[in-house]
Amino acid sequence: MPTSTPTAPPTTVEDDPAGSAEIALPIAGMTCASCVNRIERFLTKTPGVELAAVNLATEVATIRYLPDVASRADLVGAIEAAGYDLKARTDEGSSDAAIEAVDATMTADDLERARTQRALAIRSGVSIVVALGIMLVTFWPQSVVPMETINWVVLFPATFIQVWAGGVFYRAAWRALRHGSANMDSLVVAGTSAAWSFSVFVTLFPQVFVTAGLDPVTYFDSSTIIVGLVLLGRWLEARAKSRTAGAIRSLVSLGAKTARRVGPDGDVDVELTELRPGDLVRVRPGEKVPIDGIVVDGSSAVDESMLTGEALPVDKTVGDEVIGATLNRTGTFVFRVTRVGADTALARIVDMVRRAQGSKAPIQRVVDRISELFVPLVLGLGALAFVVWFALGPEPSVTYALTAFVTVVVIACPCAMGLATPTAIMVGTGRGAEAGILIRGGEALESAGRIDTVVFDKTGTLTLGRPAVSSIVAAAGFDETELLDLAASLEKGSEHPVGAAILAAGRERELGFRPVVGFEASVGHGVQGDVGSSAAGSRRVLIGNARLMMDRGVDLAELAGPRDRAEADGRTSVFVSVDGQAAGLIVIWDPVRPEAADAVRALAIHGIDPWIVSGDARATAEAVARQVGIRPDRVLAEVLPGGKAEAIETLQVVGRRVAMVGDGINDAPALAQADLGIAIGTGADVAIEASDVTLVGGDPRLVASSIALSRQTMRIIRQNLFWAFGYNVLLIPVAMGVLYPAFGITLDPAMAAGAMALSSVSVVLNSLRLRGFDARPAPTRGATAL
C-alpha cells in the first residue's frame, strides 16, 4: 500500500504575528450559563484582552490577550473579581506543554472529578433519605402526634441538610451576590431558604397560624428534597460530562511511555522526555512507534488507524515518515527522531482537539445574551407569582403563594442552556478526532453543517499527489535521453512536484547532472534556464505548459497528437523547448486515489455538489473527473494558483456555501476564502493552518464524514437548545399557576426540583449520542449518511 503519513496541524497557541498570546485557565465554581456570561464580561473588560470564551462543559476559560498590556495575574484577577476562583491545577494548555504533561493533567482532572462526584453522591443520597424520612413522619395521624410536635422532630434533620448538603449552594450564591450577580445557585438558595425559613417560623411560632385558623404546616420535606434532587442532578450531570472528555483521554493513552534508543553501546530503553531530535530509535514488531521521525534503516507495515481511521497498515521504508503512537506490525526498523514534546503529531492533535472542545459555536451567542438576564427574570417572576397568589389566591393564600415562589425559582434551569452547545461540541469534535477528522471548533462545525458545494483541488486530494514520469515523446532532432537529461538538469532548482518527478526519472537513468545558470520559475507556468557549461555550449531550456510555450512563440504543432492522447487518459503534458524549438513533451501521471470515487459519490448522493479545480489542461482535469464521477461542467481547469481563491469566490457570489479541499501551499488562499477549508493531512503545514478541518490520514472519503458529523452535531445542538428553552418557556408559567384557574393544576416543589435535574442531564445524555456516530471511511458501508 502506498505510504500516506498523517500530518498534525500546527499549534496556534503560540504568539501570533500581531503579538497576542493565548492561555487556558481552569475555573472552579461555575454552575450555569449565567456564570459563563459573567466571567466573559469581566475578562473582556480587562485591558489587553482581545477575546475571552468560557466553556461550561470543560470549565475552562480560553483567553487571547496582549502580553505587553495584560499579565496572567490581571486575567486571574478579573476572574476573581467576577466571583470565581481558579482550580488548584494551572494547566494553561500552551504549546509548551508536552504530551506527558497533558497525561498528568488528565490524571489530575480525573481524580478531582472523582472526588467531586463522590461528594455529590454522598450529599444527594443522605439528603434524599432524610427527605423521605421527613415525609413519612409528616404523614403520622395528628390524633396520635400533634403537628407542632412533628415540626420540632423534623426541624433538626432538615436544618442539618440545609446547612451541610445545601452549603455548596449558599457559598456559590454568596460569592455571586458579593459581586452583584445571581446564578443557578441563587435560585436554589432562594427557593429552599424560603421553604426552610417559613417552616422554621411556623415551628417556633405555631400559635400565630392557629390563631388565624390555619394549620401549622411546614415545608421541611420540600426544602430537603429539593436540595437532594438538585445535587442528584449535578451528580448525574458530572458523570455524563466526564464521558464527554473520553476522546482526549483516548488520544493521550495512545502514546508510548518509553523508547529504545540506538547508541554506540547498543540499544537502551529511555523515557520519551530524554529523546532529542536526531536520536536513532529502534522499533520491533508489535511495538508502538514512540515518537515522530524518518525511517533510516529497515522496513515494515505500520498501523495508523488510531490517528487516521484507515484500517489497512501503511508500508514504511527508508525515507518515509513515521508518527508516534502508531503500531508497528511486521518488520523491524530504525528511525531518526524529528519532533519531540509538544511538536509531535499526537501532542498537536491533542492540543487542537482540546482547543476545539473549548470553543463556541456562533449559535451560542444567543444563549449568552439570554442567560445574562435569565436569573434576575426568574427571581422577578417568582416574586410576581407570590404576590398574585397571596393577593388573589384561595386560602391559605400564604401557603399557595410560598409554594408558587419556591416552585418557580427551583424549576427554572439555566444549566441546560449553558450545557446545550458545549457538550455537543465536545463529543462531536472528540468523535471526529478518533476518526482522523480534526475540527478547529464550534464555528467550523456550524459552517460545515451548511455546506452545499465541495471543490476538490485535483492534485493530492483526488489523486495520490505523487506524480511520476510515465512516458517521454521527443520531437524531430532530439532523442528521449537528451530530452530527459536537459529537463532533469533544469528541474534541480524547482520545488514543484512535477519538477521532482522529472528529476527522479532522470536520476533513475543517471541523468540530470549538467550545470544550470540563470534559473527562473514562473509560478503556474514553468521554469527556464541555461543548461550546460559555457565551454561545451549551453542550451536555453524552457519547461512548462502550453500557455508558456505559446507566450514564448514555440510551435507545438508536432506534439499536438501525443498531448491530446495523454490528456485524454488524465495525464499531464509538460512541454520542453530547447533554444526556442519544441524538443518534446514529458507525460506525467498522478494516479487517482482508489477511494476518490467513493468520496465523490458520498457527497453527490446526499445533495452536495462536487467540483474540481486544477491548473492542468481541461482534457486532463475532465479525464480525472470522469474517473471519480464529477460532471464535466463542474470542472474548473487551467486555473493558476492565485486564481483558485477567485474561483471559490465566484461560486460564493451565486449563493453557494463552498468547502475547499486542498493539500498544497498554493491552496492556502482558496482554503481561507472558502466557507469551510478542509486540508488533507498529508499536505503542507501552510494549507493545514489555513483550514477549518484537517483530515489526518488524507482519505478524501472523510470529507463526507466530516460534513455528516458536523450536521449531526448541529442537529444535536438545536435539539438541546429546543429542549432547554422549551422546558423553561413551558414549565415556568405552569409553576406560576397559569393552569390553576381553568384546570386546578399546580406543581409541587419536589416535582420542580426533579424536572430541573432531569433537564440538565437529558441535554448531556443527548449530546453523548454522538459517540455512536461512525465516521470511519469504509466503502463497504456505502455513502456516508448525511
Side-chain angles (χ1 to χ4, degrees):
M1 181 176 177
T3 302
S4 177
T5 302
T7 302
T11 181
T12 56
V13 182
E14 300 171 355
D15 294 353
D16 66 17
S20 60
E22 194 166 284
I23 187 173
L25 299 176
I27 302 175
M30 293 192 297
T31 58
C32 65
S34 299
C35 306
V36 170
N37 187 71
R38 179 173 177 81
I39 296 171
E40 288 182 347
R41 191 168 66 250
F42 272 71
L43 283 170
T44 52
K45 289 180 180 178
T46 304
V49 172
E50 298 179 332
L51 178 67
V54 179
N55 188 298
L56 180 60
T58 59
E59 299 178 336
V60 170
T62 304
I63 309 157
R64 181 168 290 279
Y65 68 104
L66 298 173
D68 295 338
V69 180
S71 65
R72 185 182 186 279
D74 295 329
L75 305 179
V76 174
I79 293 171
E80 292 175 344
Y84 300 87
D85 300 315
L86 293 188
K87 291 183 179 179
R89 67 179 179 88
T90 55
D91 166 36
E92 300 179 4
S94 70
S95 61
D96 296 328
I99 197 70
E100 293 81 5
V102 174
D103 197 2
T105 296
M106 293 299 297
T107 303
D109 279 349
D110 291 340
L111 292 174
E112 177 61 28
R113 194 176 291 114
R115 283 194 293 267
T116 300
Q117 291 180 21
R118 186 165 54 251
L120 288 171
I122 293 172
R123 283 177 166 78
S124 65
V126 172
S127 300
I128 292 172
V129 169
V130 170
L132 293 175
I134 292 174
M135 290 178 185
L136 289 175
V137 171
T138 56
F139 284 133
W140 286 352
Q142 294 189 28
S143 59
V144 178
V145 181
M147 181 61 70
E148 292 86 344
T149 304
I150 293 175
N151 291 342
W152 278 103
V153 170
V154 300
L155 169 63
F156 295 102
T159 302
F160 169 73
I161 294 300
Q162 193 72 19
V163 175
W164 173 70
V168 61
F169 303 124
Y170 282 97
R171 287 189 291 272
W174 170 245
R175 187 166 53 241
L177 182 62
R178 281 194 304 116
H179 295 87
S181 68
N183 55 20
M184 176 66 197
D185 300 287
S186 305
L187 296 179
V188 177
V189 165
T192 58
S193 296
W196 178 83
S197 300
F198 176 81
S199 301
V200 170
F201 183 82
V202 171
T203 302
L204 296 177
F205 308 102
Q207 64 277 12
V208 174
F209 295 87
V210 174
T211 302
L214 302 175
D215 290 331
V217 177
T218 60
Y219 291 91
F220 286 126
D221 56 343
S222 295
S223 65
T224 307
I225 196 65
I226 288 171
V227 170
L229 290 177
V230 173
L231 288 174
L232 175 64
R234 290 198 177 177
W235 175 70
L236 293 172
E237 179 186 312
R239 281 174 55 86
K241 282 167 62 177
S242 67
R243 293 170 60 192
T244 65
I248 291 181
R249 194 176 295 110
S250 298
L251 286 171
V252 171
S253 67
L254 292 176
K257 304 301 180 184
T258 61
R260 186 174 292 105
R261 184 166 59 192
V262 179
D265 299 325
D267 297 351
V268 180
D269 288 341
V270 298
E271 298 291 328
L272 293 188
T273 54
E274 298 181 37
L275 292 177
R276 297 292 180 268
D279 287 348
L280 297 179
V281 175
R282 189 184 310 278
V283 183
R284 294 172 180 167
E287 295 180 341
K288 285 186 177 180
V289 178
I291 208 162
D292 300 357
I294 301 292
V295 178
V296 296
D297 182 47
S299 62
S300 182
V302 177
D303 181 359
E304 297 178 340
S305 61
M306 60 286 297
L307 293 181
T308 68
E310 173 58 55
L312 297 178
V314 180
D315 293 335
K316 301 291 182 180
T317 187
V318 175
D320 288 336
E321 185 177 8
V322 290
I323 300 297
T326 54
L327 182 64
N328 182 31
R329 287 293 188 188
T330 55
T332 297
F333 62 89
V334 176
F335 70 91
R336 177 174 286 105
V337 176
T338 56
R339 293 188 293 261
V340 298
D343 295 329
T344 63
L346 180 61
R348 294 158 78 188
I349 289 173
V350 169
D351 177 73
M352 184 174 181
V353 173
R354 294 183 70 184
R355 289 163 54 80
Q357 291 189 338
S359 67
K360 287 190 176 186
I363 196 172
Q364 180 69 22
R365 297 175 191 141
V366 178
V367 180
D368 292 341
R369 287 194 293 269
I370 294 175
S371 65
E372 185 175 4
L373 303 173
F374 184 81
V375 173
L377 176 63
V378 169
L379 290 172
L381 291 174
L384 175 63
F386 181 90
V387 171
V388 172
W389 276 99
F390 185 77
L392 305 177
E395 294 297 335
S397 61
V398 66
T399 299
Y400 281 102
L402 181 63
T403 300
F405 173 79
V406 173
T407 304
V408 168
V409 297
V410 169
I411 205 168
C413 188
C415 297
M417 292 189 294
L419 293 170
T421 299
T423 53
I425 291 176
M426 282 186 69
V427 182
T429 54
R431 188 66 193 93
E434 292 171 350
I437 302 169
L438 302 183
I439 302 172
R440 285 198 179 274
E443 188 170 352
L445 268 173
E446 195 164 329
S447 297
R450 297 193 297 263
I451 293 301
D452 57 30
T453 303
V454 172
V455 179
F456 290 94
D457 176 64
K458 179 182 73 68
T459 304
T461 56
L462 295 177
T463 67
L464 292 175
R466 293 189 297 275
V469 173
S470 63
S471 62
I472 300 173
V473 179
F478 296 90
D479 60 53
E480 290 186 13
T481 300
E482 180 186 15
L483 183 66
L484 181 59
D485 189 25
L486 292 171
S489 298
L490 181 59
E491 291 289 4
K492 285 185 297 187
S494 173
E495 296 180 353
H496 196 279
V498 170
I502 294 173
L503 179 60
R507 293 300 162 85
E508 286 180 3
R509 305 187 192 183
E510 297 184 355
L511 301 172
F513 295 97
R514 299 190 189 189
V516 176
V517 178
F519 175 87
E520 295 180 21
S522 176
V523 178
H525 295 288
V527 296
Q528 63 181 342
D530 295 320
V531 179
S533 63
S534 56
S538 63
R539 313 289 295 275
R540 185 65 176 174
V541 179
L542 180 66
I543 304 174
N545 55 26
R547 182 183 301 176
L548 177 64
M549 296 297 166
M550 289 186 289
D551 289 345
R552 300 299 174 87
V554 179
D555 184 6
L556 300 178
E558 182 181 350
L559 301 173
R563 176 197 61 192
D564 293 342
R565 288 191 294 272
E567 292 179 352
D569 290 335
R571 308 193 178 202
T572 300
S573 298
V574 178
F575 296 95
V576 181
S577 77
V578 177
D579 297 330
Q581 178 184 354
L585 64 82
I586 300 174
V587 178
I588 304 295
W589 180 49
D590 186 7
V592 172
R593 289 179 181 268
E595 62 273 11
D598 285 332
V600 171
R601 191 178 304 113
L603 294 171
I605 287 177
H606 296 283
I608 298 177
D609 201 8
W611 290 60
I612 282 182
V613 61
S614 174
D616 289 337
R618 172 158 292 277
T620 300
E622 288 184 354
V624 173
R626 283 194 302 272
Q627 294 180 55
V628 300
I630 294 178
R631 290 160 39 188
D633 61 341
R634 295 295 189 261
V635 176
L636 304 174
E638 301 177 12
V639 179
L640 296 177
K644 292 181 181 179
E646 296 176 6
I648 298 296
E649 186 177 10
T650 300
L651 293 174
Q652 291 172 323
V653 167
V654 297
R656 292 178 178 268
R657 296 186 180 275
V658 183
M660 170 70 187
V661 185
D663 77 325
I665 292 176
N666 59 16
D667 295 328
L671 290 168
Q673 172 65 41
D675 297 288
L676 183 75
I678 302 177
I680 294 294
T682 54
D685 278 358
V686 174
I688 295 172
E689 177 65 23
S691 68
D692 303 300
V693 176
T694 299
L695 309 182
V696 178
D699 190 332
R701 290 173 296 180
L702 289 177
V703 174
S705 296
S706 64
I707 295 175
L709 176 61
S710 299
R711 288 184 175 182
Q712 181 64 11
T713 302
M714 292 308 302
R715 190 175 296 118
I716 292 292
I717 288 175
R718 285 190 288 269
Q719 291 171 359
N720 287 348
L721 290 175
F722 177 82
W723 167 255
F725 284 108
Y727 163 87
N728 286 287
V729 169
L730 290 177
L731 291 187
I732 288 178
V734 175
M736 294 178 69
V738 296
L739 297 181
Y740 183 80
F743 305 101
I745 296 176
T746 60
L747 288 181
D748 181 82
M751 294 175 58
M756 186 270 288
L758 178 64
S759 67
S760 296
V761 175
S762 63
V763 163
V764 179
L765 292 178
N766 191 43
S767 296
L768 286 171
R769 292 197 300 119
L770 284 166
R771 295 184 66 178
F773 183 89
D774 190 359
R776 295 170 302 171
T780 55
R781 291 186 2 247
T784 305
L786 295 183

